[in-house]
Amino acid sequence: MSDFKLFSIKNDVVELPASQVSLEKELQTLLEKNMQTFFGVTFLRSEYKITNGRMDSIGIDENNCPVIFEYKRSLNENVINQGLFYLDWLLDHKANFQLLVMEVLGKNKADLIDWSAPCVICIANDFTKFDTHAVNQMQRNIKLVKYRKYGDDLIALEFLNTPQVQALVDDSAPLVAKNSKGDKTFRQHLEETSEAVRTLYTSIHDYILSLGDDISENQLKLYIAFKKVKNIVCIEVYQNNILLHLRLNPDTVTLQPGKIEDVRNKGHWGTGDLRLIVRNPEDFENIKPLLDRAYNEN
């Protein structure tokens, strides 16, 4: 894989030498303590024991999906297959994960768990081109993250792939919703809306993905999340409009009631404090600068 070079330009230009951490446990501890900052994931437990092994770290992301972390400790270790095994185990033992979330974060958080897009994040000092190819062929939500440490104060994380995730959900299955009644899935809303709204959604969808090749699309049960490291835009589709929630500070935007709204104190699916309500192509054209900002500022 290509290497990432870091230079200090404070006085003379000097290349900072990259290195591995002295102990892999040191890296694991650093990432666990700062998981929210690095990945937008709430840390739950280290060395989580299961039937045939233990997961290095486990957490839950901002979309309430489980996240497994595995650290590659040697060049020959097949951490990808190991992570895939743990992911399949977790999908077969959902009650165990729900109990863990309940113990750490409480019952309300456990009730919100979304199994649409569970994820494995594999972290190593390096991966081969064969690792990336294998992950792309699997078509599972597995992310490869390469790290480099620079001196005592700097660490760089390079995300090597951007999996596009299809929701692991049965539309016929009942949903557990925030208002204690059944809610239609995103897919059902999209199928039942008008052709004009579906066309508008396709235009918005394609525009967001065109902003950069580092954007991944997570098709969740109730909404679509477009992510870099964290969500930048979440989308819901309804009969007469499309709702977008952006990771932007509403205080930096000119608000328009019914079009651009501050929802910091309003409950909604997905993440993002700024709500955009799009009803037609003209509305879409008007919000493109905000979509650009959400991409560039996150």
Side-chain angles (χ1 to χ4, degrees):
M1 306 296 294
S2 61
D3 201 4
F4 179 84
K5 294 185 179 296
L6 185 67
F7 296 85
S8 170
I9 58 173
K10 186 174 183 179
N11 296 308
D12 296 332
V13 175
V14 177
E15 181 178 352
L16 301 179
S19 65
Q20 293 179 256
V21 293
S22 56
L23 297 171
E24 293 297 336
K25 187 61 181 178
E26 176 188 342
L27 173 69
Q28 182 174 342
T29 301
L30 173 67
L31 297 185
E32 287 176 347
K33 287 183 176 180
N34 300 278
M35 201 171 278
Q36 185 62 240
T37 301
F38 286 131
F39 303 102
V41 173
T42 299
F43 171 66
L44 294 174
R45 187 157 295 171
S46 182
E47 305 298 334
Y48 181 61
K49 294 181 181 179
I50 65 170
T51 308
N52 297 309
R54 63 179 66 201
M55 304 174 189
D56 289 340
S57 310
I58 190 167
I60 186 168
D61 72 11
E62 58 192 333
N63 298 311
N64 298 310
C65 294
V67 183
I68 298 166
F69 289 82
E70 286 297 311
Y71 307 94
K72 187 175 183 179
R73 294 173 170 81
S74 67
L75 186 62
N76 296 325
E77 184 179 9
N78 198 333
V79 70
I80 297 171
N81 284 348
Q82 188 172 314
L84 186 60
F85 170 80
Y86 291 150
L87 178 59
D88 288 340
W89 185 93
L90 201 62
L91 290 170
D92 288 334
H93 297 81
K94 295 179 181 178
N96 296 59
F97 183 75
Q98 185 171 21
L99 181 60
L100 173 63
V101 175
M102 191 179 302
E103 290 175 354
V104 179
L105 301 176
K107 184 178 184 301
N108 290 341
K109 188 67 172 180
D111 289 341
L112 294 174
I113 296 171
D114 190 329
W115 291 96
S116 302
C119 178
V120 175
I121 298 179
C122 300
I123 301 173
N125 182 253
D126 206 357
F127 292 95
T128 70
K129 63 182 180 181
F130 303 108
D131 292 328
T132 306
H133 178 75
V135 166
N136 292 337
Q137 291 299 309
M138 288 176 187
Q139 296 184 336
R140 300 291 295 272
N141 195 10
I142 300 176
K143 299 178 181 178
L144 304 184
V145 179
K146 176 180 172 181
Y147 80 88
R148 281 288 187 273
K149 193 168 183 288
Y150 297 89
D152 295 327
D153 300 325
L154 296 174
I155 189 168
L157 299 178
E158 182 182 1
F159 293 76
L160 302 181
N161 66 319
T162 52
Q164 306 302 316
V165 183
Q166 299 290 330
L168 300 175
V169 60
D170 178 1
D171 280 345
S172 64
L175 300 178
V176 177
K178 60 183 178 181
N179 56 6
S180 300
K181 64 181 181 181
D183 281 88
K184 293 180 180 178
T185 66
F186 175 88
R187 194 180 310 157
Q188 288 171 326
H189 277 296
L190 189 62
E191 290 173 353
E192 294 175 5
T193 194
S194 66
E195 183 177 350
V197 172
R198 286 196 296 272
T199 300
L200 183 58
Y201 166 72
T202 299
S203 298
I204 296 172
H205 168 279
D206 293 347
Y207 182 80
I208 294 173
L209 289 182
S210 74
L211 292 172
D213 58 10
D214 55 346
I215 297 178
S216 62
E217 172 190 355
N218 282 17
Q219 296 190 23
L220 301 163
K221 186 161 52 180
L222 299 172
Y223 58 93
I224 300 291
F226 295 89
K227 302 170 68 81
K228 291 174 77 174
V229 176
K230 301 177 182 178
N231 292 349
I232 59 171
V233 183
C234 294
I235 298 183
E236 304 164 54
V237 173
Y238 295 103
Q239 194 65 40
N240 298 312
N241 58 51
I242 298 172
L243 300 185
L244 294 84
H245 292 100
L246 275 59
R247 187 182 291 275
L248 284 179
N249 184 349
D251 293 336
T252 66
V253 177
T254 301
L255 303 178
Q256 301 177 41
K259 290 191 175 182
I260 304 175
E261 300 177 340
D262 179 351
V263 292
R264 280 177 287 199
N265 297 314
K266 297 181 180 179
H268 59 84
W269 297 121
T271 60
D273 292 332
L274 187 71
R275 174 182 290 166
L276 310 180
I277 304 171
V278 180
R279 298 181 176 85
N280 51 56
E282 182 181 359
D283 289 343
F284 173 40
E285 289 299 321
N286 291 336
I287 66 157
K288 281 183 178 179
L290 293 175
L291 294 175
D292 295 345
R293 278 190 56 193
Y295 175 78
N296 292 320
E297 296 178 18
N298 289 285

